[in-house]
Amino acid sequence: MKLAVITDSSISLPKGFEQKENLFILDIPITIDQESFVEGKNLSIIEFYDKMAKSSDLPKTSQPSLAELDDLLTQLSDQGFTHVIGLFLSSGISGFYQNIQYLVEEHKPLEIVFPDSKITSVPLGLMVKNIFDWAQEGLNFETIVSKLNRQIDQTTAFIMVDDLNHLVKGGRLSNGAALLGNLLSIKPILYFNDGRIEVYEKVRTEKKAIKRLVDILKEFTADGQYEVAVIHSNASEKADKFSQLLIEAGYQDLSISEFSAVIATHLGEGAVAIGISPIIED
């Protein structure tokens, strides 16, 4: 088996993970004031926040290029790859997953699977890392896909944002939830529910919301072993304080990462989240 993994630039790869020659990342363009950018190519994360703050309109993202994925699959077949796993931004916040399924039949004899990750950012990165780890262990393709699906089913993230308008105007959250958040000073805790971003609970203040997030994490990790990541959008101080609360609650082995510009486009500056991903041992 010669395995390739394809993902997109909404991903945040784990610290210490070395870029693999058989890992391919499709760009998700970000449009700011009618100009297109790709983080890491013509835009740094610092420049992104600066441009977003100065822009008269909120930034927008596009889907990865379908034609680029089509061409890449042809190239992979020509290069002797036999199996492909494509793992992209959740179908609940992007139509790319639905749009690419026909490519599975178009690129025979490559054995291709495009599971719905139902997530993004660090949890997506952990899925990609695990695929390579399982392949390194010598597991066959069917077993890798089975373990990956188990990981997907038990992965989620809880999010607290400073401004719901980014999610609302991007079509990722209902207007009703934004109205409550803006007019009633409610600090909603959001989460990924079957790949969609929805309101989990409504809390009155940010301080109470952060405390509640600690309790939620305890509830969701009580039945097994999980990797936990604190993720933020240009809110390192807030993330550090939140991480300290988690450490005091017994979560010693956790990571702190930053959202990619693609995800920060929809969450806005100041968001803090916890990504929860199961450790699949058997």
Side-chain angles (χ1 to χ4, degrees):
M1 176 178 69
K2 187 176 181 181
L3 173 66
V5 180
I6 311 172
T7 187
D8 62 50
S9 57
S10 74
I11 195 170
S12 293
L13 291 166
K15 292 178 181 178
F17 178 84
E18 295 182 3
Q19 179 76 42
K20 308 289 185 180
E21 62 179 12
N22 48 343
L23 172 62
F24 303 87
I25 301 177
L26 302 180
D27 293 331
I28 297 180
I30 303 168
T31 302
I32 308 174
D33 290 333
Q34 288 77 53
E35 189 173 356
S36 183
F37 298 93
V38 173
E39 184 181 359
K41 294 186 175 179
N42 62 346
L43 184 73
S44 70
I45 191 67
I46 295 173
E47 291 170 335
F48 164 76
Y49 286 116
D50 182 61
K51 289 180 181 295
M52 181 168 67
K54 295 176 180 177
S55 174
S56 56
D57 296 312
L58 294 178
K60 298 178 181 178
T61 59
S62 305
Q63 292 184 18
S65 169
L66 186 60
E68 183 181 347
L69 176 57
D70 194 5
D71 290 343
L72 176 57
L73 291 171
T74 298
Q75 294 169 25
L76 292 176
S77 182
D78 292 343
Q79 293 168 14
F81 284 90
T82 58
H83 295 75
V84 175
I85 298 177
L87 205 56
F88 306 101
L89 182 64
S90 170
S91 68
I93 50 179
S94 172
F96 191 63
Y97 165 78
Q98 288 90 347
N99 292 340
I100 63 176
Q101 296 302 319
Y102 80 94
L103 293 173
V104 173
E105 296 299 324
E106 292 283 326
H107 288 274
K108 297 291 186 182
L110 274 178
E111 189 162 352
I112 303 170
V113 294
F114 292 141
D116 184 0
S117 73
K118 300 182 181 180
I119 203 73
T120 185
S121 191
V122 173
L124 181 60
L126 290 172
M127 292 175 187
V128 168
K129 177 183 180 297
N130 279 348
I131 291 170
F132 284 108
D133 287 346
W134 294 328
Q136 184 66 33
E137 292 171 11
L139 301 184
N140 62 38
F141 189 67
E142 291 74 18
T143 302
I144 291 172
V145 172
S146 175
K147 290 168 79 75
L148 174 60
N149 284 327
R150 287 171 56 197
Q151 184 177 6
I152 290 170
D153 288 342
Q154 299 175 63
T155 293
T156 190
F158 291 84
I159 312 161
M160 185 180 66
V161 299
D162 274 356
D163 185 357
L164 285 168
N165 285 322
H166 289 261
L167 283 166
V168 173
K169 290 184 178 180
R172 270 71 182 182
L173 190 68
S174 72
N175 279 296
L179 187 65
L180 286 173
N182 288 336
L183 298 186
L184 302 181
S185 298
I186 287 173
K187 198 74 176 179
I189 295 173
L190 313 174
Y191 78 128
F192 274 86
N193 181 25
D194 196 30
R196 296 180 297 274
I197 298 177
E198 299 179 356
V199 175
Y200 184 76
E201 283 185 11
K202 302 181 185 74
V203 186
R204 282 289 179 184
T205 66
E206 182 174 290
K207 185 176 180 180
K208 289 181 179 179
I210 288 178
K211 183 178 179 181
R212 178 62 184 129
L213 279 173
V214 177
D215 293 335
I216 290 171
L217 179 58
K218 291 179 181 178
E219 295 167 8
F220 269 75
T221 59
D223 63 344
Q225 291 185 299
Y226 293 81
E227 293 185 79
V228 178
V230 175
I231 321 163
H232 67 92
S233 54
N234 204 29
S236 56
E237 185 176 340
K238 192 187 299 184
D240 288 341
K241 290 180 180 178
F242 183 38
S243 298
Q244 188 57 44
L245 287 177
L246 293 177
I247 291 171
E248 292 170 2
Y251 294 91
Q252 302 296 324
D253 188 20
L254 54 84
S255 63
I256 302 178
S257 299
E258 193 163 4
F259 284 113
S260 69
V262 169
I263 302 305
T265 294
H266 300 293
L267 298 183
E269 193 169 1
V272 174
I274 46 173
I276 307 169
S277 186
I279 297 174
I280 307 296
E281 293 184 327
D282 55 10

Short mmCIF file of all heavy atoms in Angstrom, two decimals, residues 102-162:
data_model
loop_
_atom_site.label_atom_id
_atom_site.label_comp_id
_atom_site.label_asym_id
_atom_site.label_seq_id
_atom_site.Cartn_x
_atom_site.Cartn_y
_atom_site.Cartn_z
N TYR A 102 -17.98 12.34 -6.14
CA TYR A 102 -17.98 11.68 -7.46
C TYR A 102 -16.57 11.31 -7.91
O TYR A 102 -16.37 10.43 -8.76
CB TYR A 102 -18.65 12.58 -8.50
CG TYR A 102 -17.77 13.68 -9.04
CD1 TYR A 102 -17.04 13.51 -10.22
CD2 TYR A 102 -17.65 14.90 -8.35
CE1 TYR A 102 -16.23 14.53 -10.71
CE2 TYR A 102 -16.83 15.90 -8.83
CZ TYR A 102 -16.13 15.71 -10.01
OH TYR A 102 -15.32 16.71 -10.49
N LEU A 103 -15.55 11.98 -7.34
CA LEU A 103 -14.17 11.72 -7.74
C LEU A 103 -13.70 10.32 -7.35
O LEU A 103 -12.74 9.80 -7.92
CB LEU A 103 -13.23 12.77 -7.14
CG LEU A 103 -13.40 14.20 -7.66
CD1 LEU A 103 -12.53 15.15 -6.86
CD2 LEU A 103 -13.05 14.27 -9.14
N VAL A 104 -14.37 9.72 -6.39
CA VAL A 104 -14.00 8.36 -5.97
C VAL A 104 -14.10 7.39 -7.14
O VAL A 104 -13.21 6.55 -7.36
CB VAL A 104 -14.90 7.89 -4.79
CG1 VAL A 104 -14.63 6.42 -4.48
CG2 VAL A 104 -14.65 8.76 -3.56
N GLU A 105 -15.15 7.52 -7.91
CA GLU A 105 -15.35 6.64 -9.07
C GLU A 105 -14.55 7.10 -10.28
O GLU A 105 -14.21 6.29 -11.14
CB GLU A 105 -16.84 6.57 -9.42
CG GLU A 105 -17.70 5.94 -8.33
CD GLU A 105 -17.30 4.50 -8.04
OE1 GLU A 105 -16.92 3.78 -8.99
OE2 GLU A 105 -17.36 4.10 -6.86
N GLU A 106 -14.25 8.38 -10.34
CA GLU A 106 -13.53 8.94 -11.50
C GLU A 106 -12.07 8.53 -11.53
O GLU A 106 -11.42 8.62 -12.58
CB GLU A 106 -13.62 10.47 -11.48
CG GLU A 106 -15.01 11.03 -11.72
CD GLU A 106 -15.40 10.99 -13.19
OE1 GLU A 106 -14.51 11.16 -14.04
OE2 GLU A 106 -16.60 10.78 -13.47
N HIS A 107 -11.54 8.10 -10.38
CA HIS A 107 -10.09 7.85 -10.31
C HIS A 107 -9.76 6.41 -9.93
O HIS A 107 -8.84 6.15 -9.17
CB HIS A 107 -9.43 8.84 -9.35
CG HIS A 107 -9.37 10.24 -9.90
ND1 HIS A 107 -8.35 10.67 -10.70
CD2 HIS A 107 -10.23 11.28 -9.76
CE1 HIS A 107 -8.56 11.94 -11.03
NE2 HIS A 107 -9.70 12.33 -10.49
N LYS A 108 -10.53 5.48 -10.43
CA LYS A 108 -10.16 4.08 -10.32
C LYS A 108 -8.89 3.85 -11.14
O LYS A 108 -8.70 4.50 -12.18
CB LYS A 108 -11.30 3.19 -10.84
CG LYS A 108 -12.58 3.31 -10.04
CD LYS A 108 -12.45 2.72 -8.66
CE LYS A 108 -13.77 2.71 -7.91
NZ LYS A 108 -13.65 2.18 -6.54
N PRO A 109 -7.95 2.97 -10.73
CA PRO A 109 -8.07 2.00 -9.63
C PRO A 109 -7.58 2.50 -8.28
O PRO A 109 -7.38 1.70 -7.36
CB PRO A 109 -7.16 0.86 -10.12
CG PRO A 109 -6.07 1.56 -10.86
CD PRO A 109 -6.72 2.74 -11.52
N LEU A 110 -7.33 3.82 -8.10
CA LEU A 110 -7.03 4.33 -6.77
C LEU A 110 -8.17 3.96 -5.82
O LEU A 110 -9.34 4.09 -6.17
CB LEU A 110 -6.90 5.86 -6.78
CG LEU A 110 -5.57 6.51 -7.13
CD1 LEU A 110 -5.73 8.02 -7.13
CD2 LEU A 110 -4.47 6.09 -6.16
N GLU A 111 -7.81 3.50 -4.64
CA GLU A 111 -8.83 3.26 -3.62
C GLU A 111 -8.91 4.51 -2.77
O GLU A 111 -7.97 4.84 -2.03
CB GLU A 111 -8.50 2.03 -2.78
CG GLU A 111 -9.64 1.64 -1.86
CD GLU A 111 -9.51 0.21 -1.33
OE1 GLU A 111 -8.62 -0.53 -1.80
OE2 GLU A 111 -10.30 -0.15 -0.44
N ILE A 112 -10.02 5.24 -2.88
CA ILE A 112 -10.17 6.56 -2.27
C ILE A 112 -11.33 6.55 -1.28
O ILE A 112 -12.40 6.02 -1.57
CB ILE A 112 -10.44 7.63 -3.34
CG1 ILE A 112 -9.34 7.64 -4.40
CG2 ILE A 112 -10.58 9.01 -2.71
CD1 ILE A 112 -9.68 8.52 -5.61
N VAL A 113 -11.11 7.17 -0.13
CA VAL A 113 -12.21 7.45 0.79
C VAL A 113 -12.16 8.93 1.18
O VAL A 113 -11.09 9.48 1.40
CB VAL A 113 -12.19 6.57 2.06
CG1 VAL A 113 -12.43 5.11 1.72
CG2 VAL A 113 -10.89 6.73 2.82
N PHE A 114 -13.33 9.53 1.22
CA PHE A 114 -13.48 10.92 1.66
C PHE A 114 -14.44 10.94 2.85
O PHE A 114 -15.61 11.28 2.70
CB PHE A 114 -14.05 11.80 0.54
CG PHE A 114 -13.13 12.01 -0.64
CD1 PHE A 114 -13.65 12.04 -1.92
CD2 PHE A 114 -11.77 12.21 -0.46
CE1 PHE A 114 -12.83 12.26 -3.02
CE2 PHE A 114 -10.94 12.43 -1.55
CZ PHE A 114 -11.46 12.45 -2.83
N PRO A 115 -13.99 10.59 4.04
CA PRO A 115 -14.89 10.66 5.20
C PRO A 115 -15.21 12.11 5.53
O PRO A 115 -14.44 13.02 5.23
CB PRO A 115 -14.08 10.01 6.33
CG PRO A 115 -12.86 9.42 5.69
CD PRO A 115 -12.63 10.17 4.43
N ASP A 116 -16.35 12.33 6.16
CA ASP A 116 -16.68 13.66 6.67
C ASP A 116 -16.02 13.80 8.03
O ASP A 116 -16.38 13.13 8.99
CB ASP A 116 -18.20 13.79 6.79
CG ASP A 116 -18.62 15.18 7.23
OD1 ASP A 116 -17.74 16.05 7.44
OD2 ASP A 116 -19.84 15.40 7.36
N SER A 117 -15.06 14.71 8.13
CA SER A 117 -14.33 14.89 9.39
C SER A 117 -15.23 15.42 10.50
O SER A 117 -14.97 15.19 11.69
CB SER A 117 -13.16 15.86 9.20
OG SER A 117 -13.61 17.19 9.07
N LYS A 118 -16.26 16.18 10.13
CA LYS A 118 -17.20 16.81 11.06
C LYS A 118 -16.51 17.78 12.02
O LYS A 118 -17.04 18.08 13.10
CB LYS A 118 -18.00 15.76 11.84
CG LYS A 118 -18.82 14.84 10.95
CD LYS A 118 -19.63 13.84 11.76
CE LYS A 118 -20.42 12.92 10.84
NZ LYS A 118 -21.22 11.93 11.59
N ILE A 119 -15.33 18.27 11.63
CA ILE A 119 -14.54 19.10 12.54
C ILE A 119 -13.53 19.88 11.71
O ILE A 119 -13.56 19.86 10.47
CB ILE A 119 -13.84 18.21 13.60
CG1 ILE A 119 -13.49 19.03 14.86
CG2 ILE A 119 -12.62 17.51 13.04
CD1 ILE A 119 -14.63 19.40 15.72
N THR A 120 -12.61 20.55 12.34
CA THR A 120 -11.54 21.28 11.67
C THR A 120 -10.40 21.52 12.67
O THR A 120 -10.40 20.97 13.77
CB THR A 120 -12.06 22.62 11.09
OG1 THR A 120 -11.03 23.24 10.34
CG2 THR A 120 -12.52 23.55 12.19
N SER A 121 -9.43 22.32 12.28
CA SER A 121 -8.36 22.82 13.14
C SER A 121 -7.54 21.70 13.78
O SER A 121 -7.17 20.74 13.11
CB SER A 121 -8.94 23.76 14.20
OG SER A 121 -7.93 24.46 14.89
N VAL A 122 -7.26 21.80 15.08
CA VAL A 122 -6.38 20.83 15.75
C VAL A 122 -6.96 19.41 15.74
O VAL A 122 -6.23 18.46 15.47
CB VAL A 122 -6.07 21.29 17.19
CG1 VAL A 122 -5.30 20.20 17.95
CG2 VAL A 122 -5.26 22.59 17.18
N PRO A 123 -8.26 19.23 16.04
CA PRO A 123 -8.78 17.86 15.96
C PRO A 123 -8.61 17.24 14.57
O PRO A 123 -8.34 16.04 14.46
CB PRO A 123 -10.26 18.03 16.33
CG PRO A 123 -10.28 19.22 17.22
CD PRO A 123 -9.26 20.15 16.61
N LEU A 124 -8.75 18.04 13.52
CA LEU A 124 -8.51 17.54 12.17
C LEU A 124 -7.04 17.16 12.02
O LEU A 124 -6.71 16.13 11.40
CB LEU A 124 -8.89 18.61 11.15
CG LEU A 124 -8.72 18.27 9.67
CD1 LEU A 124 -9.57 17.06 9.28
CD2 LEU A 124 -9.08 19.47 8.79
N GLY A 125 -6.16 17.96 12.58
CA GLY A 125 -4.73 17.64 12.53
C GLY A 125 -4.40 16.35 13.25
O GLY A 125 -3.54 15.58 12.81
N LEU A 126 -5.06 16.09 14.37
CA LEU A 126 -4.83 14.85 15.11
C LEU A 126 -5.29 13.64 14.31
O LEU A 126 -4.66 12.58 14.36
CB LEU A 126 -5.55 14.90 16.46
CG LEU A 126 -4.97 15.88 17.49
CD1 LEU A 126 -5.88 15.98 18.71
CD2 LEU A 126 -3.57 15.45 17.92
N MET A 127 -6.36 13.80 13.56
CA MET A 127 -6.82 12.71 12.69
C MET A 127 -5.77 12.39 11.63
O MET A 127 -5.45 11.22 11.38
CB MET A 127 -8.15 13.09 12.03
CG MET A 127 -9.32 13.17 12.98
SD MET A 127 -10.83 13.78 12.16
CE MET A 127 -11.92 13.96 13.58
N VAL A 128 -5.23 13.43 11.01
CA VAL A 128 -4.21 13.23 9.98
C VAL A 128 -2.97 12.57 10.58
O VAL A 128 -2.41 11.63 10.01
CB VAL A 128 -3.86 14.57 9.32
CG1 VAL A 128 -2.60 14.44 8.47
CG2 VAL A 128 -5.02 15.06 8.46
N LYS A 129 -2.55 13.04 11.74
CA LYS A 129 -1.39 12.43 12.41
C LYS A 129 -1.63 10.96 12.69
O LYS A 129 -0.76 10.11 12.46
CB LYS A 129 -1.10 13.16 13.72
CG LYS A 129 0.05 12.55 14.53
CD LYS A 129 0.25 13.26 15.85
CE LYS A 129 1.39 12.64 16.65
NZ LYS A 129 1.12 11.23 17.02
N ASN A 130 -2.82 10.63 13.17
CA ASN A 130 -3.12 9.24 13.49
C ASN A 130 -3.09 8.35 12.25
O ASN A 130 -2.65 7.19 12.31
CB ASN A 130 -4.48 9.14 14.18
CG ASN A 130 -4.42 9.48 15.65
OD1 ASN A 130 -3.34 9.58 16.23
ND2 ASN A 130 -5.57 9.68 16.26
N ILE A 131 -3.58 8.88 11.13
CA ILE A 131 -3.54 8.09 9.90
C ILE A 131 -2.11 7.66 9.59
O ILE A 131 -1.85 6.49 9.27
CB ILE A 131 -4.13 8.90 8.72
CG1 ILE A 131 -5.64 9.10 8.91
CG2 ILE A 131 -3.86 8.18 7.39
CD1 ILE A 131 -6.25 10.08 7.93
N PHE A 132 -1.18 8.60 9.69
CA PHE A 132 0.23 8.26 9.41
C PHE A 132 0.80 7.32 10.46
O PHE A 132 1.56 6.41 10.14
CB PHE A 132 1.05 9.54 9.32
CG PHE A 132 0.86 10.29 8.03
CD1 PHE A 132 0.15 11.48 8.00
CD2 PHE A 132 1.36 9.79 6.83
CE1 PHE A 132 -0.04 12.17 6.81
CE2 PHE A 132 1.17 10.46 5.64
CZ PHE A 132 0.47 11.65 5.62
N ASP A 133 0.42 7.51 11.72
CA ASP A 133 0.89 6.62 12.78
C ASP A 133 0.39 5.20 12.54
O ASP A 133 1.15 4.22 12.68
CB ASP A 133 0.42 7.11 14.14
CG ASP A 133 1.16 8.36 14.60
OD1 ASP A 133 2.21 8.68 14.01
OD2 ASP A 133 0.69 9.00 15.57
N TRP A 134 -0.87 5.07 12.19
CA TRP A 134 -1.45 3.73 11.96
C TRP A 134 -0.83 3.07 10.74
O TRP A 134 -0.57 1.86 10.74
CB TRP A 134 -2.97 3.84 11.81
CG TRP A 134 -3.66 4.29 13.07
CD1 TRP A 134 -3.28 4.02 14.35
CD2 TRP A 134 -4.85 5.07 13.16
NE1 TRP A 134 -4.15 4.60 15.24
CE2 TRP A 134 -5.13 5.24 14.55
CE3 TRP A 134 -5.71 5.65 12.23
CZ2 TRP A 134 -6.24 5.97 15.01
CZ3 TRP A 134 -6.81 6.38 12.69
CH2 TRP A 134 -7.07 6.52 14.05
N ALA A 135 -0.56 3.87 9.72
CA ALA A 135 0.09 3.31 8.53
C ALA A 135 1.50 2.85 8.86
O ALA A 135 1.96 1.80 8.38
CB ALA A 135 0.12 4.34 7.41
N GLN A 136 2.19 3.63 9.71
CA GLN A 136 3.55 3.26 10.12
C GLN A 136 3.55 1.96 10.92
O GLN A 136 4.50 1.18 10.86
CB GLN A 136 4.14 4.39 10.98
CG GLN A 136 5.59 4.19 11.40
CD GLN A 136 6.56 4.22 10.24
OE1 GLN A 136 6.34 4.94 9.26
NE2 GLN A 136 7.62 3.44 10.32
N GLU A 137 2.47 1.71 11.64
CA GLU A 137 2.34 0.46 12.41
C GLU A 137 2.06 -0.74 11.51
O GLU A 137 2.06 -1.88 11.99
CB GLU A 137 1.22 0.61 13.43
CG GLU A 137 1.52 1.60 14.56
CD GLU A 137 0.30 1.88 15.42
OE1 GLU A 137 -0.72 1.14 15.28
OE2 GLU A 137 0.34 2.83 16.22
N GLY A 138 1.80 -0.48 10.25
CA GLY A 138 1.55 -1.58 9.31
C GLY A 138 0.10 -2.00 9.19
O GLY A 138 -0.19 -3.05 8.62
N LEU A 139 -0.81 -1.17 9.71
CA LEU A 139 -2.23 -1.52 9.61
C LEU A 139 -2.70 -1.41 8.16
O LEU A 139 -2.23 -0.55 7.41
CB LEU A 139 -3.06 -0.59 10.49
CG LEU A 139 -2.73 -0.58 11.99
CD1 LEU A 139 -3.69 0.32 12.74
CD2 LEU A 139 -2.75 -1.98 12.58
N ASN A 140 -3.64 -2.27 7.79
CA ASN A 140 -4.14 -2.21 6.42
C ASN A 140 -5.13 -1.05 6.26
O ASN A 140 -5.55 -0.42 7.24
CB ASN A 140 -4.77 -3.55 6.00
CG ASN A 140 -5.98 -3.93 6.85
OD1 ASN A 140 -6.79 -3.10 7.23
ND2 ASN A 140 -6.10 -5.22 7.15
N PHE A 141 -5.48 -0.77 5.02
CA PHE A 141 -6.29 0.41 4.71
C PHE A 141 -7.66 0.35 5.39
O PHE A 141 -8.12 1.35 5.96
CB PHE A 141 -6.46 0.51 3.19
CG PHE A 141 -7.10 1.80 2.74
CD1 PHE A 141 -6.45 3.01 2.89
CD2 PHE A 141 -8.37 1.78 2.13
CE1 PHE A 141 -7.03 4.20 2.44
CE2 PHE A 141 -8.94 2.96 1.69
CZ PHE A 141 -8.28 4.17 1.84
N GLU A 142 -8.29 -0.80 5.37
CA GLU A 142 -9.62 -0.94 5.96
C GLU A 142 -9.59 -0.67 7.46
O GLU A 142 -10.49 -0.03 8.01
CB GLU A 142 -10.19 -2.34 5.69
CG GLU A 142 -10.53 -2.61 4.23
CD GLU A 142 -9.30 -2.82 3.35
OE1 GLU A 142 -8.20 -3.09 3.92
OE2 GLU A 142 -9.43 -2.70 2.12
N THR A 143 -8.55 -1.14 8.13
CA THR A 143 -8.42 -0.93 9.57
C THR A 143 -8.18 0.54 9.89
O THR A 143 -8.75 1.10 10.83
CB THR A 143 -7.28 -1.79 10.15
OG1 THR A 143 -7.55 -3.17 9.87
CG2 THR A 143 -7.17 -1.60 11.66
N ILE A 144 -7.33 1.19 9.08
CA ILE A 144 -7.06 2.61 9.28
C ILE A 144 -8.35 3.42 9.14
O ILE A 144 -8.65 4.29 9.97
CB ILE A 144 -6.00 3.11 8.27
CG1 ILE A 144 -4.63 2.50 8.61
CG2 ILE A 144 -5.92 4.64 8.26
CD1 ILE A 144 -3.56 2.78 7.57
N VAL A 145 -9.11 3.14 8.11
CA VAL A 145 -10.36 3.87 7.88
C VAL A 145 -11.35 3.61 9.01
O VAL A 145 -12.05 4.52 9.47
CB VAL A 145 -10.96 3.49 6.51
CG1 VAL A 145 -12.35 4.11 6.34
CG2 VAL A 145 -10.05 3.95 5.38
N SER A 146 -11.41 2.37 9.48
CA SER A 146 -12.31 2.03 10.58
C SER A 146 -11.95 2.80 11.85
O SER A 146 -12.82 3.36 12.54
CB SER A 146 -12.28 0.52 10.84
OG SER A 146 -13.06 0.19 11.98
N LYS A 147 -10.65 2.84 12.18
CA LYS A 147 -10.20 3.57 13.37
C LYS A 147 -10.43 5.07 13.20
O LYS A 147 -10.80 5.77 14.15
CB LYS A 147 -8.72 3.27 13.64
CG LYS A 147 -8.46 1.84 14.11
CD LYS A 147 -6.99 1.49 14.08
CE LYS A 147 -6.22 2.04 15.26
NZ LYS A 147 -6.46 1.30 16.50
N LEU A 148 -10.23 5.57 11.99
CA LEU A 148 -10.46 6.97 11.73
C LEU A 148 -11.93 7.33 11.94
O LEU A 148 -12.25 8.36 12.55
CB LEU A 148 -10.05 7.31 10.29
CG LEU A 148 -10.36 8.73 9.79
CD1 LEU A 148 -9.66 9.77 10.64
CD2 LEU A 148 -9.98 8.87 8.33
N ASN A 149 -12.83 6.49 11.46
CA ASN A 149 -14.26 6.75 11.65
C ASN A 149 -14.64 6.75 13.12
O ASN A 149 -15.50 7.53 13.55
CB ASN A 149 -15.09 5.74 10.87
CG ASN A 149 -15.09 6.02 9.38
OD1 ASN A 149 -15.05 7.18 8.96
ND2 ASN A 149 -15.15 4.98 8.56
N ARG A 150 -14.02 5.88 13.90
CA ARG A 150 -14.26 5.88 15.35
C ARG A 150 -13.79 7.18 15.97
O ARG A 150 -14.46 7.75 16.84
CB ARG A 150 -13.55 4.69 16.01
CG ARG A 150 -14.21 3.34 15.73
CD ARG A 150 -13.33 2.21 16.22
NE ARG A 150 -13.02 2.34 17.64
CZ ARG A 150 -12.03 1.69 18.26
NH1 ARG A 150 -11.22 0.91 17.56
NH2 ARG A 150 -11.83 1.85 19.55
N GLN A 151 -12.65 7.67 15.52
CA GLN A 151 -12.15 8.93 16.03
C GLN A 151 -13.08 10.08 15.67
O GLN A 151 -13.38 10.94 16.50
CB GLN A 151 -10.74 9.20 15.51
CG GLN A 151 -10.12 10.47 16.11
CD GLN A 151 -8.70 10.72 15.65
OE1 GLN A 151 -8.19 10.01 14.78
NE2 GLN A 151 -8.05 11.71 16.23
N ILE A 152 -13.54 10.09 14.43
CA ILE A 152 -14.46 11.14 13.99
C ILE A 152 -15.72 11.16 14.85
O ILE A 152 -16.19 12.22 15.27
CB ILE A 152 -14.82 10.94 12.50
CG1 ILE A 152 -13.61 11.25 11.61
CG2 ILE A 152 -16.01 11.80 12.11
CD1 ILE A 152 -13.79 10.86 10.16
N ASP A 153 -16.28 9.98 15.12
CA ASP A 153 -17.54 9.88 15.86
C ASP A 153 -17.43 10.42 17.29
O ASP A 153 -18.42 10.85 17.87
CB ASP A 153 -18.01 8.43 15.91
CG ASP A 153 -18.52 7.94 14.56
OD1 ASP A 153 -18.81 8.79 13.70
OD2 ASP A 153 -18.60 6.72 14.37
N GLN A 154 -16.21 10.39 17.85
CA GLN A 154 -16.04 10.80 19.26
C GLN A 154 -15.31 12.14 19.40
O GLN A 154 -14.93 12.52 20.50
CB GLN A 154 -15.27 9.72 20.01
CG GLN A 154 -15.96 8.36 20.05
CD GLN A 154 -15.09 7.30 20.69
OE1 GLN A 154 -14.75 7.39 21.87
NE2 GLN A 154 -14.72 6.29 19.93
N THR A 155 -15.11 12.83 18.30
CA THR A 155 -14.41 14.11 18.32
C THR A 155 -15.39 15.27 18.30
O THR A 155 -16.39 15.23 17.58
CB THR A 155 -13.46 14.22 17.11
OG1 THR A 155 -12.42 13.25 17.24
CG2 THR A 155 -12.82 15.61 17.04
N THR A 156 -15.09 16.31 19.07
CA THR A 156 -15.91 17.52 19.03
C THR A 156 -15.06 18.70 19.48
O THR A 156 -13.89 18.56 19.82
CB THR A 156 -17.18 17.39 19.89
OG1 THR A 156 -18.04 18.50 19.62
CG2 THR A 156 -16.85 17.35 21.37
N ALA A 157 -15.66 19.86 19.48
CA ALA A 157 -15.00 21.06 19.99
C ALA A 157 -16.07 21.99 20.55
O ALA A 157 -17.19 22.05 20.03
CB ALA A 157 -14.21 21.76 18.89
N PHE A 158 -15.71 22.69 21.61
CA PHE A 158 -16.57 23.69 22.22
C PHE A 158 -15.90 25.05 22.06
O PHE A 158 -14.69 25.18 22.28
CB PHE A 158 -16.83 23.37 23.69
CG PHE A 158 -17.69 22.15 23.89
CD1 PHE A 158 -17.13 20.88 23.87
CD2 PHE A 158 -19.06 22.27 24.06
CE1 PHE A 158 -17.92 19.75 24.04
CE2 PHE A 158 -19.85 21.15 24.23
CZ PHE A 158 -19.29 19.89 24.21
N ILE A 159 -16.69 26.05 21.72
CA ILE A 159 -16.14 27.34 21.29
C ILE A 159 -16.84 28.49 22.00
O ILE A 159 -18.07 28.47 22.17
CB ILE A 159 -16.31 27.53 19.77
CG1 ILE A 159 -15.86 26.29 19.00
CG2 ILE A 159 -15.54 28.76 19.29
CD1 ILE A 159 -16.42 26.21 17.58
N MET A 160 -16.06 29.47 22.38
CA MET A 160 -16.60 30.72 22.92
C MET A 160 -16.03 31.87 22.09
O MET A 160 -14.82 32.00 21.97
CB MET A 160 -16.21 30.89 24.38
CG MET A 160 -16.82 32.09 25.07
SD MET A 160 -16.29 32.18 26.80
CE MET A 160 -14.54 32.50 26.59
N VAL A 161 -16.91 32.65 21.47
CA VAL A 161 -16.46 33.72 20.58
C VAL A 161 -16.78 35.08 21.19
O VAL A 161 -17.70 35.22 22.00
CB VAL A 161 -17.10 33.60 19.18
CG1 VAL A 161 -16.72 32.29 18.52
CG2 VAL A 161 -18.61 33.75 19.25
N ASP A 162 -16.03 36.10 20.77
CA ASP A 162 -16.28 37.46 21.23
C ASP A 162 -17.38 38.13 20.42
O ASP A 162 -18.09 39.01 20.92
CB ASP A 162 -14.99 38.30 21.11
CG ASP A 162 -14.10 38.15 22.33
OD1 ASP A 162 -14.52 37.47 23.29
OD2 ASP A 162 -12.99 38.71 22.33
#
